[in-house]
Amino acid sequence: MALAAVAVTTVGLHAQNVDSTMLKNPPKDSWPGYHGDYSGRRNSALTEINTTNVSKLTLGWAFQTQQNGQIKATPILVDGILYFTLPDNVWAIDARNGHQLWHYAAPPTKAFHIGQRGVSILKDKLYYMTSDAHLQALDAKTGKVLWDVEVADSKKGQWATMSPLIVGNHVLVGASGDFDNLQGFLRSVDPETGKTQWTFFSTPTVDTPRVAYSGNMWMTGTYDPELNLIYFGTGNPSPVLNGKVRPGDNLYTCTILALDPETGKLVWHFQPSPHDTHDWDAVEIPVLADGLFDGKPRKMLMQASRNGYFFVIDRATGKNLLTTTFGPVNWSKGVDKDGRPIPNPDKEPAPDGRLIAPDESGMTNYRSPSFDPKTGLFIVSASPSYSLYFNKPADGAYGWAGADYGLWSKGVLEAIDYKTGKIRWSHELGDRGGSGVLTTAGGLTFSGDSKGNFLALDTANGKTLWHAGAGGGIASSPISYELDGHQYVLMSGGNVLFAWRLPETPVAKAAPAAAKK
Amino acid sequence: MLFTMSRVTAQAPAAAPQTPPRAAWTVGSQGPLPEHAKFTREQAESGAALFVQNCAFCHGKDAMGGETGPDLTRSKLVTADKNGEGIGAVVRNGRLDKGMPRFSLSDADILNLVAFIHTQQDNALSQSGNRRGVEESDLHTGNAEAGKKYFETTGGCVKCHAATGDLAGIASKYSGLKLEMQMLYPRDVKPKATVKTKSGQTITGIVEYEDEFTLGVRDSVGIYRSWLRSSITAKVDRPLDAHVDAMSKYSDDDVHNVLAYIQTLK
């Protein structure tokens, strides 16, 4: 057994060639990108672990990073090797036993270190965003840096956390940074050389008066190979809480963009938060699924947005199919004819404060939701919440430009029926949760609560079927894969990765020859 | 950059003896600066770099508030801190209930952070005129009479509260934004639980921990006890649910009016 395991883990012997074909249709023994496949559904086809046996789930291994901070990365899996990150750190570990193959400690930088969401892979190279917004190509075998290009100037206030999206011959990267008035962008980089192929800017340049800046693209987008469109959400405008100096809708901030991956040309856009004044980035995962809507087959894009609205959009045209809320929302005057919420000017931050739902962290945030095609449920970690928002002339028109204070929030997993927008079940999580969601064809929903309990729920009704204490905050989104014929579920708690599986089935003894007669 | 390191050794504004002393619960732009240890420019500069890496996302690059974290230049804890004894404890232990993690930093690094935070507070308090953030005077827009009416009728606040009872003197204890936040959601009020164990024992106490699987209470003599939920029956009284419910009903005028009324309960 041991020898066999060593043989198959050896890099190169049965190497999976990570190219466009593989990324479009990842084998079940891989998870080669942030979302697994390009759809952002985070729905695994695996069924070995299912509603009948998940209560027996047991620990396969745990990997201690020995570092400060919570793991916010989604590990990727290729050739039996998991690659994942913390800020300034990248690891390659054996997916069968958690054994470390290499560790790359990047030179520390002075930028914000709020999280790192993982590396991406194409052929033999990993792509890693440093905290100070450089893109590095690493040799996947050794972790050695092959090249390093600056994506944004961190001295001006941008930083990076994202896992790049790789489409064809393009490494797609953006940066974060709304503490300063900077221009948000998505950049396409050549995977071999690091050269810029194209850049899409969310806003005009920062010397343009009376417009919004920022609209940063800091989350991994999704891709439809048939339509050949990439989908990215853009961040909130800046100045953040002062909307008076930037009248109008503030395109393309808080917007879902459909872009041509070859040229970066905009094909359509839909704006979840016109003229945002509450820091509600619309970067949450644009989840792609095909199915019936109003009885017609549709190619859909769904987003549970930070501003508290859930949207279903025709992803070929950008036409809105459904807009609804998934928790308390009090900042809009309803929805316009195109399905966009209409911001209520009376709910813009004011000198004496405005009571706003949801709060600044939003009804949901960067952790992945999941779409389960079997039940038609879009499952999202939601945070009903209230807060106070202030803005006065002394706050100025640069960066944050105001103040806001959270009053109350809680965490709840909401299972939204995409056809109606109705919530079919809710699973209370206590305080605001930090975990993303994974669904599986085994009928299971994996996530975590705010106190560090890993959860496996029955996707049909939200009932808990299994749990285990992680001993640390869960701040990433689970993944699942198959190795050597067995399914694993990978989750992080604190700075530790946990691999769960079913117990080894005792090897059946060969029946005595006599018994066969 | 939003902060300027050139004002590290901020000068106190010319002493104004007629200025009334600053209230103990907050800091504003009048009155003498809080006293603290002297820090070097190098300490504050090292602290500034560490602050950007570790703290600035939540508390803002200038420590005056960012995403979710409060304005440290208005912090009672910072005002009371002399040489890191208060700030350092929070950095080391975190405030897990409020979402602040623990930080494993060396003593020297923590002292540098302390130097930076004090410097930023000195700078902020030295500003004359209209300061960024929320002043108490910003919150005086309500009508106390209308607030009293809302409190006694529409709001239903009198179901649990009395102006001459539990709320007597509340505006002397809190003021400004702190009073408004207390009014909307007094987060230090914890649920109470009555727990029945399988052996028939009944324990009442303050809920200190709860999740789907475990309940922990501090009992009447101060001992922390916890159980698997499957092993007990528990009744939990959550008085704050009414405050969450109220937030879904308040107009902003209601909030300001009730605040104006509460401000009269000195």
mmCIF file of all heavy atoms in Angstrom, chain A residues 40 69 110-111 135 140 155 190 214 243 261 288 295 360 383 446 499:
data_model
loop_
_atom_site.group_PDB
_atom_site.id
_atom_site.type_symbol
_atom_site.label_atom_id
_atom_site.label_comp_id
_atom_site.label_asym_id
_atom_site.label_seq_id
_atom_site.Cartn_x
_atom_site.Cartn_y
_atom_site.Cartn_z
ATOM 1 N N GLY A 40 -18.489 28.390 -10.880
ATOM 2 C CA GLY A 40 -18.699 29.025 -9.582
ATOM 3 C C GLY A 40 -19.779 28.360 -8.748
ATOM 4 O O GLY A 40 -20.163 28.885 -7.709
ATOM 5 N N GLY A 69 -2.934 33.901 11.574
ATOM 6 C CA GLY A 69 -3.977 34.213 10.596
ATOM 7 C C GLY A 69 -4.813 33.017 10.242
ATOM 8 O O GLY A 69 -4.433 31.867 10.453
ATOM 9 N N LYS A 110 4.694 45.610 3.009
ATOM 10 C CA LYS A 110 4.046 46.537 3.948
ATOM 11 C C LYS A 110 2.566 46.715 3.649
ATOM 12 O O LYS A 110 1.908 47.525 4.277
ATOM 13 C CB LYS A 110 4.760 47.882 3.901
ATOM 14 C CG LYS A 110 6.137 47.822 4.539
ATOM 15 C CD LYS A 110 6.790 49.177 4.578
ATOM 16 C CE LYS A 110 8.108 49.092 5.347
ATOM 17 N NZ LYS A 110 8.834 50.354 5.317
ATOM 18 N N ALA A 111 2.031 45.989 2.676
ATOM 19 C CA ALA A 111 0.629 46.171 2.307
ATOM 20 C C ALA A 111 -0.289 45.501 3.326
ATOM 21 O O ALA A 111 0.169 44.760 4.196
ATOM 22 C CB ALA A 111 0.386 45.607 0.921
ATOM 23 N N LEU A 135 2.015 40.005 -9.317
ATOM 24 C CA LEU A 135 1.693 38.645 -9.754
ATOM 25 C C LEU A 135 3.009 37.892 -9.914
ATOM 26 O O LEU A 135 3.901 38.343 -10.623
ATOM 27 C CB LEU A 135 0.935 38.664 -11.081
ATOM 28 C CG LEU A 135 0.657 37.290 -11.702
ATOM 29 C CD1 LEU A 135 -0.268 36.440 -10.840
ATOM 30 C CD2 LEU A 135 0.062 37.440 -13.107
ATOM 31 N N ALA A 140 5.604 24.973 -10.244
ATOM 32 C CA ALA A 140 4.711 24.155 -9.424
ATOM 33 C C ALA A 140 5.463 23.014 -8.730
ATOM 34 O O ALA A 140 5.035 22.526 -7.685
ATOM 35 C CB ALA A 140 3.582 23.588 -10.284
ATOM 36 N N LYS A 155 2.048 51.268 -3.034
ATOM 37 C CA LYS A 155 2.355 52.499 -2.283
ATOM 38 C C LYS A 155 1.221 53.504 -2.394
ATOM 39 O O LYS A 155 1.044 54.362 -1.542
ATOM 40 C CB LYS A 155 3.662 53.111 -2.783
ATOM 41 C CG LYS A 155 4.894 52.321 -2.369
ATOM 42 C CD LYS A 155 6.162 53.050 -2.782
ATOM 43 C CE LYS A 155 7.225 52.101 -3.262
ATOM 44 N NZ LYS A 155 6.939 51.536 -4.602
ATOM 45 N N ASP A 190 -0.112 37.655 -19.746
ATOM 46 C CA ASP A 190 0.381 36.496 -20.491
ATOM 47 C C ASP A 190 0.972 35.476 -19.512
ATOM 48 O O ASP A 190 1.858 35.819 -18.720
ATOM 49 C CB ASP A 190 1.457 36.952 -21.492
ATOM 50 C CG ASP A 190 1.928 35.817 -22.365
ATOM 51 O OD1 ASP A 190 2.539 34.848 -21.828
ATOM 52 O OD2 ASP A 190 1.684 35.865 -23.578
ATOM 53 N N SER A 214 -12.492 53.685 -7.850
ATOM 54 C CA SER A 214 -12.466 52.312 -7.301
ATOM 55 C C SER A 214 -13.229 51.338 -8.210
ATOM 56 O O SER A 214 -12.938 51.288 -9.385
ATOM 57 C CB SER A 214 -12.971 52.251 -5.864
ATOM 58 O OG SER A 214 -12.046 52.917 -5.029
ATOM 59 N N GLY A 243 -21.551 60.157 -1.246
ATOM 60 C CA GLY A 243 -22.053 60.021 -2.606
ATOM 61 C C GLY A 243 -22.326 61.348 -3.291
ATOM 62 O O GLY A 243 -22.581 61.396 -4.493
ATOM 63 N N PRO A 261 -12.906 37.531 -23.119
ATOM 64 C CA PRO A 261 -11.599 37.257 -22.509
ATOM 65 C C PRO A 261 -10.417 37.554 -23.445
ATOM 66 O O PRO A 261 -9.300 37.758 -22.973
ATOM 67 C CB PRO A 261 -11.650 35.767 -22.163
ATOM 68 C CG PRO A 261 -12.723 35.191 -23.023
ATOM 69 C CD PRO A 261 -13.705 36.304 -23.270
ATOM 70 N N LEU A 288 -22.835 30.473 -12.395
ATOM 71 C CA LEU A 288 -23.418 30.164 -13.702
ATOM 72 C C LEU A 288 -24.122 28.813 -13.660
ATOM 73 O O LEU A 288 -23.549 27.823 -13.198
ATOM 74 C CB LEU A 288 -22.326 30.131 -14.774
ATOM 75 C CG LEU A 288 -21.326 31.295 -14.769
ATOM 76 C CD1 LEU A 288 -20.367 31.162 -15.956
ATOM 77 C CD2 LEU A 288 -22.032 32.646 -14.801
ATOM 78 N N GLY A 295 -40.344 28.388 -17.292
ATOM 79 C CA GLY A 295 -40.635 27.332 -18.252
ATOM 80 C C GLY A 295 -39.726 27.299 -19.462
ATOM 81 O O GLY A 295 -39.826 26.402 -20.296
ATOM 82 N N GLU A 360 -22.220 47.155 6.925
ATOM 83 C CA GLU A 360 -21.175 47.334 5.920
ATOM 84 C C GLU A 360 -20.577 46.014 5.421
ATOM 85 O O GLU A 360 -20.223 45.885 4.249
ATOM 86 C CB GLU A 360 -20.098 48.205 6.542
ATOM 87 C CG GLU A 360 -18.881 48.390 5.707
ATOM 88 C CD GLU A 360 -17.726 48.720 6.616
ATOM 89 O OE1 GLU A 360 -17.828 49.677 7.387
ATOM 90 O OE2 GLU A 360 -16.736 47.987 6.561
ATOM 91 N N SER A 383 -26.010 37.250 6.429
ATOM 92 C CA SER A 383 -25.877 37.971 7.700
ATOM 93 C C SER A 383 -26.891 39.098 7.805
ATOM 94 O O SER A 383 -26.584 40.245 7.499
ATOM 95 C CB SER A 383 -24.471 38.570 7.832
ATOM 96 O OG SER A 383 -23.514 37.570 7.871
ATOM 97 N N PHE A 446 -22.017 21.333 2.741
ATOM 98 C CA PHE A 446 -20.953 21.512 3.733
ATOM 99 C C PHE A 446 -20.717 23.002 3.956
ATOM 100 O O PHE A 446 -20.657 23.788 3.015
ATOM 101 C CB PHE A 446 -19.652 20.864 3.254
ATOM 102 C CG PHE A 446 -19.689 19.371 3.274
ATOM 103 C CD1 PHE A 446 -20.068 18.654 2.139
ATOM 104 C CD2 PHE A 446 -19.366 18.670 4.419
ATOM 105 C CE1 PHE A 446 -20.107 17.267 2.154
ATOM 106 C CE2 PHE A 446 -19.407 17.277 4.453
ATOM 107 C CZ PHE A 446 -19.779 16.573 3.316
ATOM 108 N N ALA A 499 -8.772 17.314 6.256
ATOM 109 C CA ALA A 499 -9.293 16.477 5.167
ATOM 110 C C ALA A 499 -10.177 15.392 5.774
ATOM 111 O O ALA A 499 -9.711 14.579 6.584
ATOM 112 C CB ALA A 499 -8.151 15.845 4.388
#
